[in-house]
Amino acid sequence: MHRRTLILAAGAAALLAAVPGAQAQEAVKVGLILPLTGPFTAIGRQVETGARLYMQQHGDTVAGKKIELIVKDDGGVADATKRTAQELIVNDKVDVLAGFGLTPLALATAPLATQAKVPMVVMAAGTATITEASPFIVRTSFTLPQATEPMADWAAKNGIKKVTTLVSDYGPGIDAEKAFTGVFTKAGGQVESLRVPLANPDFSPFLQKVADAKPDALFVFVPAGQGAQFMKQFVERGFDKSGIKLIGPGDVTDDEVLNNMGDVALGAITTHHYSAAHDSPENKSFVEAFKKASNGTRPNFMGVGGYDGMHLIYEGLKKTNGQGGQALIDAMKGMSWTSPRGPVSIDPQTRDIVQNIYVRKVERKDGELYNVEFATIPNVKDPVKAAKSN
Ligand code: DHB
């Protein structure tokens, strides 16, 4: 009797001890923080749709653990991103932070990822230095210098001698301006630089300066979604008939808004890592599934950043058998796969994505406007960090 009671008591104690622990171990929590209200909602929606689509296609169990996605809106405001990340770490005990629609949102959160040793997957933001802000950051989007240097090369080799750059006045815009100017002036080109505020930009006074300068090309960086407003003012001022060529990284002709821009966009040359028209079986099925999941919205480069970010989390967890923290970030280093955008890998030194950059021209295809790829620069690393390590 005595013995039986002891065994029962021991069994009950083990059960009590096991239950909360077991629950914590069975789920892997991913906190996805995105702008889902405010002026950058389109970015958040793309990333969320991409991430959810990946989970829908690959199931919600990895290495025997359930993946629990917790989606939070930061309204595109850095203080809100940071506060939300803190709550997700402390209250929800998330294993992974993900999302980050704009550079300031990623930079505000980086110290928390370092302190808590929580991997932080940057799926959208593009300033080169972001991955240096924490050893726990890994990125599946792109860097502006990575996407931009091939644009400067192309311009220099295609008879463009004088360029005005017009960029949003914050991290990625300044990165784009510097990357373009560096390569283009070295090749003998001439550059005049203009910067426009990020919030509620009015492009007209800047476009007046461009009209006065009469460059061969206007190089533009605006974040995803703002291209529509830019193009409207561009055509209102008659630039489509000015002979001034429109060039830039592909953010200005992002695939979600491109089709509504009209003929003004035709002929724009951009360099970028993703086009909805990318010709591969992986991309054809991605575009089709994304449209089905989003009432016909086309994926743009933000959507593919969310999709690939979830892939990286899933494959990393498979390698660690569901463990997070340092082991997970280490497992992600060096990983390579075939994305809808083409072949990609995570640079083990910088934790940044290595990917093809494509030169594209806006053309009408099957009645719709697309960025049609016509040249490929393979396996491009972020040039800013590559220069530091040389
Ligand atoms: C960033 C945001 C964008 O929408 C974009 O197209 C590129 C970069 C950023 O804030 O990092």
Side-chain angles (χ1 to χ4, degrees):
M1 187 68 190
H2 181 65
R3 200 171 148 247
R4 214 177 132 218
T5 314
L6 258 184
I7 290 168
L8 274 178
L15 204 72
L16 276 176
V19 169
Q23 267 178 351
Q25 273 171 13
E26 273 162 20
V28 174
K29 293 186 182 176
V30 179
L32 183 63
I33 315 175
L34 291 166
L36 294 166
T37 53
F40 302 102
T41 302
I43 294 172
R45 268 205 226 115
Q46 280 277 340
V47 175
E48 183 185 0
T49 305
R52 286 196 190 280
L53 175 62
Y54 189 88
M55 293 184 70
Q56 186 196 317
Q57 290 176 339
H58 296 84
D60 62 359
T61 305
V62 178
K65 298 191 178 188
K66 196 171 161 62
I67 308 295
E68 191 184 318
L69 189 69
I70 306 172
V71 180
K72 299 280 184 188
D73 172 24
D74 61 18
V77 178
D79 283 348
T81 320
K82 190 176 177 183
R83 184 174 13 89
T84 306
Q86 181 76 18
E87 286 165 6
L88 286 167
I89 291 167
V90 174
N91 301 341
D92 298 285
K93 305 200 167 32
V94 292
D95 300 283
V96 179
L97 290 166
F100 308 102
L102 297 159
T103 290
L105 316 182
L107 291 179
T109 310
L112 301 181
T114 307
Q115 263 168 28
K117 299 187 177 1
V118 171
M120 172 171 159
V121 182
V122 174
M123 297 170 160
T127 299
T129 54
I130 287 175
T131 45
E132 293 172 321
S134 167
F136 284 86
I137 291 181
V138 60
R139 171 154 50 190
T140 60
S141 47
F142 73 119
T143 85
L144 266 302
Q146 178 185 49
T148 299
E149 285 197 354
M151 186 72 252
D153 265 334
W154 187 90
K157 288 179 184 144
N158 284 272
I160 294 172
K161 300 208 158 33
K162 191 175 152 193
V163 172
T164 301
T165 61
L166 174 58
V167 303
S168 301
D169 191 4
Y170 79 122
I174 294 162
D175 262 7
E177 179 194 288
K178 281 192 185 155
F180 185 85
T181 305
V183 173
F184 191 65
T185 54
K186 213 168 165 189
Q190 239 184 302
V191 179
E192 185 179 339
S193 304
L194 302 171
R195 295 179 183 177
V196 56
L198 170 65
N200 308 310
D202 175 8
F203 299 101
S204 335
F206 299 96
L207 287 172
Q208 186 54 51
K209 288 189 183 166
V210 178
D212 295 343
K214 297 189 180 58
D216 302 319
L218 171 60
F219 169 101
V220 176
F221 166 80
V222 290
Q226 271 190 9
Q229 165 75 358
F230 168 78
M231 280 296 190
K232 192 167 162 276
Q233 295 191 328
F234 187 77
V235 75
E236 276 168 8
R237 298 195 149 252
F239 273 91
D240 50 332
K241 294 171 194 80
S242 68
I244 297 173
K245 221 171 170 41
L246 183 65
I247 61 173
D251 308 63
V252 67
T253 56
D254 91 65
D255 281 297
E256 183 174 336
V257 297
L258 174 61
N259 205 25
N260 295 323
M261 286 178 180
D263 288 357
V264 56
L266 284 171
I269 303 279
T270 57
T271 46
H272 229 209
H273 54 291
Y274 179 71
S275 165
H278 180 68
D279 189 11
S280 74
E282 290 83 8
N283 189 48
K284 279 208 173 72
S285 61
F286 171 68
V287 171
E288 196 178 308
F290 191 101
K291 281 182 169 174
K292 217 176 256 175
S294 62
N295 272 327
T297 303
R298 263 191 213 172
N300 66 16
F301 61 102
M302 294 296 181
V304 85
Y307 187 80
D308 283 338
M310 283 314 294
H311 176 86
L312 184 61
I313 293 168
Y314 271 44
E315 291 303 310
L317 287 168
K318 281 186 198 168
K319 267 174 85 176
T320 65
N321 208 15
Q323 213 187 314
Q326 185 70 51
L328 182 56
I329 200 83
D330 287 344
M332 290 169 168
K333 293 176 190 172
M335 202 163 266
S336 61
W337 69 98
T338 303
S339 157
R341 68 185 101 174
V344 299
S345 66
I346 300 299
D347 184 334
Q349 268 80 47
T350 64
R351 291 160 277 100
D352 226 328
I353 190 161
V354 182
Q355 57 193 335
N356 294 347
I357 297 298
Y358 306 92
V359 191
R360 315 95 52 85
K361 183 177 188 176
V362 176
E363 290 176 11
R364 197 177 294 286
K365 232 183 86 182
D366 307 325
E368 292 189 27
L369 296 183
Y370 282 101
N371 295 293
V372 177
E373 296 168 349
F374 64 88
T376 304
I377 300 97
N379 305 323
V380 181
K381 285 189 180 188
D382 171 55
V384 174
K385 287 184 289 287
K388 283 183 196 169
S389 69
N390 281 340

